[in-house]
Amino acid sequence: MAILEHLVESPIVVREEVRSSFDVTRKIILAKDKPIIFENFNGRRVISNIYSRRDFFIKYFSLKDSRELFKFIIRAASSREELIRTDKRSWRHKLSSVEEIPFFKYFPEDGGPYITSSIIIASLRGVLNASYHRLMYLGEERFAVRLVPRHLYRMWRESIEYGEELQVAIVIGSLPEVALSGAISVEYGKNELEIASFMHKAREGKPLEVYEISGIPVPAEAEYVLVGRFTGNLVDEGPFIDITRTPDIVRKQPELVIDAVYSSENPIYHAILPGGYEHRVLMGLPREASIYASVSRVVPEVKDVVLTQGGCSWLHAVISIRKQHDGDGKNAILAAFAGHPSLKHVVVVDDDINI
């Protein structure tokens, strides 16, 4: 896996065989924010905590600090960069079933085994969307997919109205720029892979390479790729221990049927622990950038933004500013809520405070 070349610190390596999925969960939790590799989880390889610190992206993109990272994300989200079509791909080995992928049940409360690192890529009438969605395995190559009412949900609803099955590709374990761009929220119709391509060009000097399958561009470098379709049926999804480490409820969600599964030569499955450091960084970091952008419009100098661990990297923000005018603090607070509407609590401090 190419990501192994870019880890910012040496990973914890578990060489002995691990059979229980709950043992995997326990070891990931004990690793805290350190990368961890399981060399033998029931005969397969698993990695977790890749993106557990924002420092990973700072170093990966050769940036100086958090502020530069926020600006880079903001610039990428507002840019477009072409994709390079290629006939080469790392995921060329066809598997017989999704059950060859070592996804698993994280917590006893979960409704079933989950894929949590899945980026679903869909194309419909000129619109391409790439975004994270959890997949609960139902057996027989079928998943229940949690779709919140955002872009993929809109595409799924539109395909139902036209009496079609929405074709998708699911990427597991791609490049860091793909992992980060899949977590960024942009306006409907904007291609997240073009955001990843902008990031890739900034780092590598060339756009992102994609391989087209079933009419969908897929990053040419990935550990696993699944090709499937939404049937239009609704099935039970959940419960699931979510980012707050509390169980999400059971809902009727769209059914996804997998038609083909591919892997790289010696794949390593990327497992994102629900409610863990990695989950929170991938969800929170793009929102920190949004808050930074929003507050920067009303305050001359914003030093840093943090969505705190106590607020699950989602609900509570601390913002460091260099105050120049009376009212800067209040304006920063109001702008923060505008930049991230899910916020419940904001603290603004002076720029000499390490947040």
Side-chain angles (χ1 to χ4, degrees):
M1 185 180 188
I3 187 61
L4 297 180
E5 303 171 7
H6 305 299
L7 294 178
V8 298
E9 63 176 297
S10 298
I12 298 169
V13 180
V14 180
R15 301 192 186 280
E16 68 271 16
E17 183 178 13
V18 179
R19 291 185 175 274
S20 166
S21 65
F22 298 142
D23 280 345
V24 174
T25 297
R26 180 176 60 85
K27 290 180 185 295
I28 296 173
I29 291 171
L30 290 174
K32 296 186 178 179
D33 60 355
K34 289 183 174 292
I36 182 168
I37 297 173
F38 298 87
E39 292 288 2
N40 187 358
F41 172 52
N42 291 320
R44 297 183 177 91
R45 297 198 302 159
V46 174
I47 189 169
S48 190
N49 290 352
I50 302 171
Y51 309 117
S52 291
R53 300 177 185 175
R54 68 163 74 163
D55 285 355
F56 174 93
F57 292 108
I58 293 171
K59 293 180 180 180
Y60 181 77
F61 292 115
S62 300
L63 303 171
K64 184 175 66 175
D65 53 25
S66 297
R67 188 158 47 176
E68 280 198 3
L69 177 59
F70 296 152
K71 291 177 180 178
F72 179 70
I73 292 172
I74 295 163
R75 192 163 64 250
S78 62
S79 302
R80 296 186 61 181
E81 184 60 57
E82 64 178 346
L83 303 169
I84 298 178
R85 263 66 177 180
T86 180
D87 292 330
K88 298 178 181 179
R89 49 178 171 153
S90 65
W91 43 276
R92 60 185 180 277
H93 298 277
K94 193 168 186 178
L95 306 181
S96 61
S97 168
V98 297
E99 295 183 16
E100 291 192 50
I101 303 173
F103 59 88
F104 53 89
K105 189 174 181 179
Y106 289 89
F107 297 101
E109 297 90 341
D110 291 342
Y114 269 90
I115 297 178
T116 52
S117 59
S118 42
I119 297 176
I120 299 181
I121 305 172
S123 180
L124 183 69
R125 293 177 179 82
V127 173
L128 188 139
N129 182 78
S131 51
Y132 284 94
H133 299 272
R134 68 187 190 230
L135 279 60
M136 187 181 88
Y137 191 50
L138 304 173
E140 300 179 338
E141 310 299 294
R142 298 163 52 248
F143 288 93
V145 183
R146 173 68 173 124
L147 290 189
V148 295
R150 296 192 186 119
H151 299 165
L152 184 58
Y153 177 86
R154 174 176 171 177
M155 297 169 80
W156 170 71
R157 290 292 307 172
E158 187 174 327
S159 68
I160 290 175
E161 291 171 4
Y162 280 88
E164 302 169 351
E165 293 185 330
L166 181 63
Q167 302 289 323
V168 299
I170 300 104
V171 180
I172 302 169
S174 190
L175 294 168
E177 42 267 65
V178 176
L180 181 55
S181 65
I184 296 174
S185 295
V186 290
E187 65 271 20
Y188 185 75
K190 189 165 182 64
N191 183 343
E192 287 85 356
L193 289 185
E194 291 178 347
I195 296 173
S197 189
F198 174 90
M199 294 178 175
H200 190 71
K201 188 172 183 180
R203 186 179 187 277
E204 300 287 348
K206 60 180 181 180
L208 182 72
E209 291 188 341
V210 294
Y211 180 96
E212 198 160 290
I213 187 166
S214 298
I216 301 171
V218 179
E221 188 169 338
E223 296 302 301
Y224 293 96
V225 171
L226 291 68
V227 180
R229 53 200 158 81
F230 284 101
T231 63
N233 297 330
L234 293 176
V235 292
D236 285 342
E237 187 274 332
F240 177 78
I241 301 300
D242 209 344
I243 195 166
T244 58
R245 287 281 179 88
T246 56
D248 201 358
I249 63 174
V250 177
R251 299 177 180 84
K252 290 293 184 183
Q253 293 290 283
E255 178 190 54
L256 177 70
V257 174
I258 302 302
D259 297 313
V261 186
Y262 301 89
S263 79
S264 61
E265 179 73 33
N266 185 23
I268 184 166
Y269 173 71
H270 181 201
I272 296 178
L273 175 70
Y277 287 90
E278 188 171 30
H279 184 184
R280 293 179 177 185
V281 166
L282 285 172
M283 277 192 68
L285 177 57
R287 300 301 183 183
E288 289 169 338
S290 297
I291 293 169
Y292 177 87
S294 184
V295 176
S296 293
R297 296 187 190 103
V298 298
V299 175
E301 187 172 350
V302 182
K303 182 180 178 182
D304 203 357
V305 177
V306 169
L307 287 167
T308 69
Q309 284 291 321
C312 305
S313 297
W314 191 250
L315 301 172
H316 299 168
V318 181
I319 304 166
S320 172
I321 67 170
R322 177 168 292 176
K323 181 181 175 181
Q324 298 184 23
H325 308 285
D326 289 340
D328 278 353
K330 286 183 179 180
N331 290 336
I333 289 171
L334 293 172
F337 282 116
H340 179 34
S342 293
L343 275 181
K344 305 298 181 187
H345 185 258
V346 180
V347 174
V348 177
V349 299
D350 289 320
D351 64 326
D352 60 338
I353 302 297
N354 182 350
I355 63 173

